[in-house]
Amino acid sequence: DSGVTQTPKHLITATGQRVTLRCSPRSGDLSVYWYQQSLDQGLQFLIQYYNGEERAKGNILERFSAQQFPDLHSELNLSSLELGDSALYFCASSVAGGSTTDTQYFGPGTRLTVL
Amino acid sequence: GQSLEQPSEVTAVEGAIVQINCTYQTSGFYGLSWYQQHDGGAPTFLSYNALDGLEETGRFSSFLSRSDSYGYLLLQELQMKDSASYFCAARGRTGGYQKVTFGIGTKLQVIP
């Protein structure tokens, strides 16, 4: 158990809908990272927040947005869902901002299925 | 832009040593990370190299050469449980934003 929690574990929804994925970092960790993993594209970094501020971005679609709240939990919002958004979404947390040696701890993931 | 190259598959014998290479093209490069992921599991962070040289952690070592835009992960005394996918990821800066880009992952198969 990494100490990072993600809810829900599974989510099934329809195209065009909007969903919110939630992540609680390990106690004391200030950074939260979001990743998408689909069968045909491997592991894709989406975005990182550090202490409430956006710190780094990957190839995150405009239909996707995220935020980190004062209690440091984070939410990833996916809207206008398409079939291709079906994937496993991982959250990770780390103590610091990530530009130095900084271990990331991954949650178990949320499996999103868009029908 | 940002891109990384790593082999898609590697096979090695139990007890042997294997090296997984990663070359990158990353503007404003900060450092290179390595992750391990077993089938059906979450990724596990292995190492982060910001400076040139070799970092050793038990049976795993990671190397970085910034001048060659190249790094590798070295796994020694291979065990069957090391069969997994290994991803390299580069952190850099583009247009005022930090970016992290992953390689496609190298699927390592350890055989008896």
Side-chain angles (χ1 to χ4, degrees), chain A residues 60-76:
Chain A
I60 187 167
L61 299 173
E62 287 191 10
R63 299 184 287 110
F64 295 1
S65 65
Q67 54 183 328
Q68 186 179 29
F69 295 87
D71 67 353
L72 301 177
H73 91 271
S74 178
E75 292 181 357
L76 178 67

Side-chain angles (χ1 to χ4, degrees), chain A residues 14-17 61 63 79-86 114:
Chain A
T15 54
Q17 295 298 305
L61 299 173
R63 299 184 287 110
S79 61
S80 302
L81 284 168
E82 302 175 358
L83 295 177
D85 298 327
S86 295
V114 182

